[in-house]
Amino acid sequence: MYKRQPYSITLKIRYKLGASYGVQEIIKTIKVINPPVLRLWIVIGLTFVLLAALMGLGAMGFFRLYSSVDLVSISMIAAAMVVWVQILGRQLIFPLTDRIPFTYNFAVADIPYILLLVTAISIVRKPGAAALTLFIYNIVSEIGWYGINPLWWAYPFAQGLPVDFYIMIRGKGILTDKIIFFKYRMTEEEWDKAPELKGLALFDGLMIGLLRGFFMQMSLYTVFYPNLFRLQYNWGYVFWWNIIPWSIGNAVGGCISVPIAERIREAAQY
C-alpha cells in the first residue's frame, strides 16, 4: 500500500540591505509532515464499533434502552450545556477566567459543564448517557456556531464512550455508595442488602470527570487538531500542560458535582 512520507522544502532567501552591502543569503529547510489521517479513521471506526456494542448490550437486556423521558432529559441538559459554553461562557465568563493563571489549564470554567454531564448521568443512569449528551451538545453547537462537519461527530463519542463503559462497570450503583458492579436489574430487597462504601459516589464523579477530560484532550491534540486544523503541538508541552491538568480539573469538578447532581435528580423526580 502506498504511503506518503514526510518531505522537506528548502527555501533560499536572498536580500540586500543597501548599495554598499553585498547580497546575503539564508537557507531555510521546512519539514512537511502529513496529517495522521489514519488515526482519524481509526477513531471513527472505533466509535461505530463501541457504540454498536453498547446498543447491542442494551438490546440483549443487559440494561434497559433509553425511554422517552431519558432522551428528553439528555436533550434538555445538552441544551443547558450549549447555553453555558456558547452564550454565557464564550461571551462573558471565559474571557475573564482565562486571564487568571492556570485556570484554563485546569479547566476551572469547565466545572459547570461537568456538573451538567454528571447530572445527565445521575438522571438516566444507563451506559450511553454521557456520549449521547455530549453528541447532542456538539450537534447543536455546530448548527448554531461552527457549521456542520461530520468529521467532528466522532469527537463527543471519543470523550463520552470511555465514561459510558465506566458506567457499565458500576451498573445500577453508579453515583451511589452501593458496591454494585455489572448489575442493572435488582429487586428492592437486593438493593437494600447491597453493601456500601462511604465516598464511592464521589469516586464515581471523579472518574467521570477524569475520563472525560483525559480522552477529550488526548483526542483533540492527537487526532482532531492535526487532521482538521492541520495543527501540530510539542507533545511534552501538550501532555503536561494541557492533558494532565485538564484531566485533574475535570476530575475535581466531577467529584464536587455529585451531591449537587443528586439534588437536581431528586428535584426532577417530583
Side-chain angles (χ1 to χ4, degrees):
M1 181 178 177
Y2 175 73
K3 182 179 179 181
R4 294 178 63 189
Q5 299 294 329
Y7 59 94
S8 299
I9 296 175
T10 301
L11 299 178
K12 187 179 289 186
I13 304 171
R14 293 179 178 178
Y15 65 94
K16 190 174 182 181
L17 297 176
S20 59
Y21 294 92
V23 175
Q24 304 294 317
E25 186 175 275
I26 297 176
I27 296 177
K28 178 72 174 177
T29 300
I30 301 174
K31 186 177 181 182
V32 179
I33 301 175
N34 297 314
V37 68
L38 182 60
R39 296 181 194 171
L40 179 61
W41 295 119
I42 289 174
V43 169
I44 292 173
L46 283 174
T47 294
F48 280 110
V49 170
L50 295 176
L51 189 60
L54 202 61
M55 295 300 100
L57 288 172
M60 289 187 296
F62 185 77
F63 62 90
R64 292 184 180 180
L65 287 175
Y66 318 105
S67 65
S68 299
V69 174
D70 292 336
L71 296 176
V72 169
S73 300
I74 286 173
S75 300
M76 291 178 64
I77 292 172
M81 286 177 163
V82 172
V83 171
W84 167 252
V85 174
Q86 305 297 351
I87 299 175
L88 297 178
R90 298 197 189 283
Q91 303 300 320
L92 300 173
I93 309 299
F94 301 163
L96 297 176
T97 57
D98 290 350
R99 292 176 181 271
I100 304 171
F102 302 112
T103 54
Y104 175 81
N105 303 79
F106 286 92
V108 173
D110 214 31
I111 290 177
Y113 186 90
I114 296 298
L115 167 61
L116 291 168
L117 179 62
V118 173
T119 301
I121 295 169
S122 178
I123 291 173
V124 177
R125 294 184 182 273
K126 295 172 186 174
L132 289 175
T133 303
L134 294 171
F135 178 69
I136 294 173
Y137 161 80
N138 187 78
I139 289 294
V140 175
S141 295
E142 285 190 356
I143 292 172
W145 285 269
Y146 306 134
I148 296 295
N149 186 348
L151 292 177
W152 275 104
W153 292 358
Y155 172 55
F157 292 102
Q159 56 182 301
L161 285 173
V163 176
D164 288 318
F165 278 93
Y166 177 80
I167 296 170
M168 185 177 70
I169 291 171
R170 281 288 281 125
K172 196 176 177 66
I174 188 69
L175 294 174
T176 73
D177 289 337
K178 295 286 186 179
I179 305 177
I180 298 171
F181 297 95
F182 295 107
K183 278 190 176 182
Y184 278 90
R185 299 179 184 274
M186 300 177 66
T187 64
E188 289 188 11
E189 184 179 357
E190 289 175 325
W191 173 264
D192 292 336
K193 288 183 177 179
E196 294 187 359
L197 178 63
K198 190 175 178 62
L200 188 55
L202 298 179
F203 179 79
D204 287 343
L206 183 144
M207 287 300 298
I208 289 169
L210 179 68
L211 290 169
R212 183 266 172 177
F214 180 82
F215 283 97
M216 172 209 167
Q217 294 290 83
M218 179 68 77
S219 63
L220 272 181
Y221 287 103
T222 62
V223 178
F224 294 100
Y225 281 168
N227 282 290
L228 303 183
F229 289 164
R230 299 297 193 266
L231 296 175
Q232 294 283 349
Y233 295 86
N234 179 278
W235 173 247
Y237 176 85
V238 163
F239 185 77
W240 293 111
W241 288 96
N242 287 88
I243 296 175
I244 296 300
W246 199 283
S247 303
I248 293 171
N250 274 196
V252 173
C255 185
I256 64 178
S257 294
V258 172
I260 304 172
E262 180 61 21
R263 297 210 172 198
I264 295 174
R265 185 187 69 82
E266 291 174 354
Q269 289 180 335
Y270 295 100

